[in-house]
Amino acid sequence: MTPAQKAAQYEEAAKEIAAVLEGEPNLTARMATVACLLFQAFDHYFWTGFYVVDPEKPDELVAGPYQGTLGCMRIAFGRGVCGTAAATRLTQIVDDVHAFPGHIPCDAASKSEIVVPVFDKAGDLIAVFDVDSTAYGSFDETDKDWLERIMKESFGG
Ligand code: SME
């Protein structure tokens, strides 16, 4: 897939997401919609979903709406790829998950991964969005730019 093809697919998915979310305030429904439509947008995505900041334990992520095989239930800030994205508030791109220190293997099919922090309108971290791929090196700056944009449009200001 060329960068232009990838960007075109993201653009189409972003439009569809915005259209379905229009007028729906419920956060769980919005997250479920984003996870579903991005899961369907790319063949090599085998897991898409949110780990949300637990209001009871603000330094811990807990499984939110997702598509794919069973994900782990809780991830402490700083642990694995998701916990690193939450702790640093920065998108993590991992070409080979086996080479990432502390990676949490939920499914052996996962080869590469991108995790994007998700902020609300006030700029507070509310979740991270995780995408796993069955191929190595699936994610680059195009994925980062589009996923950050989709998360901002769906949950931020
Ligand atoms: N691999 C992730 C854990 C979540 S799952 O892949 C669904 C991580 O290291 O944060």
Side-chain angles (χ1 to χ4, degrees), residues 133-148:
S133 166
T134 51
Y136 290 107
S138 291
F139 305 106
D140 55 25
E141 289 298 308
T142 303
D143 299 274
K144 177 179 184 287
D145 290 350
W146 274 100
L147 290 172
E148 287 179 353

Side-chain angles (χ1 to χ4, degrees), residues 46-49 51 61 66-67 69-72 74-75 79-85 94 97 100-107 110 112-113 115 128 130-132:
F46 89 96
W47 200 96
T48 58
Y51 279 94
L61 299 165
Y66 68 86
Q67 298 265 321
T69 54
L70 183 69
C72 59
R74 288 182 175 272
I75 300 174
R79 276 205 65 218
V81 188
C82 292
T84 301
V94 181
V97 294
F100 189 91
H103 169 252
I104 304 161
C106 291
D107 191 313
S110 178
S112 60
E113 182 166 356
V115 181
V128 299
D130 179 10
V131 183
D132 286 64

Side-chain angles (χ1 to χ4, degrees), residues 1-18 34 37-39 41-42 44-45 48 93 113-116 129-133 138-151 153:
M1 184 184 289
T2 67
Q5 285 169 331
K6 192 189 260 190
Q9 256 171 272
Y10 271 115
E11 191 170 2
E12 200 180 313
K15 276 189 200 147
E16 201 181 349
I17 288 167
V34 170
L37 290 177
L38 285 171
F39 184 75
F42 294 95
H44 58 282
Y45 282 13
T48 58
I93 295 175
E113 182 166 356
I114 185 168
V115 181
V116 180
F129 182 70
D130 179 10
V131 183
D132 286 64
S133 166
S138 291
F139 305 106
D140 55 25
E141 289 298 308
T142 303
D143 299 274
K144 177 179 184 287
D145 290 350
W146 274 100
L147 290 172
E148 287 179 353
R149 178 171 163 175
I150 290 169
M151 294 309 136
E153 286 173 0

